[in-house]
Amino acid sequence: MPDISLTTVVLLCLAALAAGWIDAVVGGGGLLLLPALLLGLPAGTPAAHALGTNKAVAIVGTTGAAVTYARKAPVDVRTAVRIGLAALAGSSGGAFFAAGMSTEVLKPVIMVVLLAVAAFVIFRPAFGTAPATGPATRRQILTAIALAGVGIGFYDGLVGPGTGTFLVLALTALLHLDLVTASATAKIVNCCTNAGALATFAWQGAVLWQLAALMAVFNLAGGMFGAHTALKRGTGFVRVVLLTVVFALVANLAWEQWAA
């Protein structure tokens, strides 16, 4: 474990707690957790160590949220795992292409897409509020595997920010889920993608395990509490958090593109 002050460790744990809650409700916890690690780790620490530690922390909170949702929300675990395995393959492909592609070109496009998504959610207040009318059809599942799995998985490996939020939106639209059930399904998909990324970082020796273990306890608490909050407060609450995270994503990408 690197030489980090007690104050910094406490702040990182609080960031992990908040990130777990955000991620469980609607995705996007990495917006808080990864920058916190990049700022909190000592100067000269390779960025890969922040990325690897982030995955080791996030997978614990995501798993806790997924288990909490699966117990109380009508989640089709089999479909979620199939989408998750496709996302794992997609993220591997995205990571492969990331080495030879400038993500700076993609960021403005992503910002426009996010703003369009925000406008759609604002002007379609019924989006994600109606419960599913029945089991998803084979065609819907295959479309979700291709777009939400391979497509968003590829984006996760290529760029990354907001993957959980994109999954919630895609699953709501493609499988006609309410936002709470979509969030629950997205957690299972995230478990698959996080596991693949963590395995890669661990093999490379890029995980600070002691720090990750400590932060993971707080991330787990935040994830389980966030899942309980979403289940208790319902789709209207998730919708508000979703819009907040979408605008935060746009602001973050804009800052990275033009101000940083």
Side-chain angles (χ1 to χ4, degrees):
M1 183 166 171
D3 185 17
I4 306 175
S5 69
L6 178 60
T7 301
T8 300
V9 171
V10 170
L11 291 173
L12 286 174
C13 288
L14 291 175
L17 179 70
W21 186 90
I22 293 169
D23 208 49
V25 175
V26 77
L31 273 176
L32 177 60
L33 188 56
L34 183 56
L37 281 166
L38 290 170
L39 291 172
L41 293 177
T45 302
H49 284 68
L51 293 168
T53 304
N54 171 63
K55 287 299 181 185
V57 174
I59 194 172
V60 175
T62 300
T63 302
V67 171
T68 302
Y69 274 124
R71 287 175 176 173
K72 298 185 177 181
V75 184
D76 185 341
V77 176
R78 184 168 177 268
T79 297
V81 170
R82 290 165 69 185
I83 297 171
L85 293 176
L88 176 59
S91 64
S92 300
F96 177 78
F97 282 101
M101 182 179 294
S102 173
T103 58
E104 301 304 314
V105 177
L106 295 176
K107 286 179 181 178
V109 176
I110 296 167
M111 281 186 274
V112 172
V113 172
L114 283 168
L115 288 172
V117 165
F120 177 82
V121 174
I122 289 170
F123 293 110
R124 290 285 298 276
F127 178 74
T129 59
T133 55
T137 65
R138 184 171 182 272
R139 181 176 180 180
Q140 288 174 327
I141 293 173
L142 290 175
T143 303
I145 289 172
L147 297 181
V150 177
I152 295 178
F154 185 86
Y155 166 80
D156 190 21
L158 187 66
V159 184
T163 297
T165 305
F166 279 128
L167 278 173
V168 172
L169 290 165
L171 292 170
T172 301
L174 296 173
L175 299 181
H176 302 294
L177 304 175
D178 62 82
L179 286 172
V180 172
T181 306
S183 293
T185 307
K187 293 303 120 236
I188 298 174
V189 176
N190 273 159
C191 285
C192 296
T193 56
N194 283 342
L198 178 58
T200 301
F201 284 119
W203 178 71
Q204 295 172 342
V207 180
L208 302 174
W209 290 109
Q210 289 178 301
L211 179 61
L214 182 59
M215 293 175 65
V217 173
F218 288 83
N219 193 251
L220 175 62
M224 295 180 71
F225 180 60
H228 279 296
T229 304
L231 288 166
K232 182 179 179 180
R233 300 289 294 274
T235 57
F237 173 76
V238 174
R239 185 172 180 271
V240 172
V241 178
L242 172 64
L243 287 172
T244 302
V245 171
V246 165
F247 285 120
L249 273 168
V250 172
N252 178 69
L253 290 170
W255 172 266
E256 289 181 355
Q257 181 74 12
W258 293 298

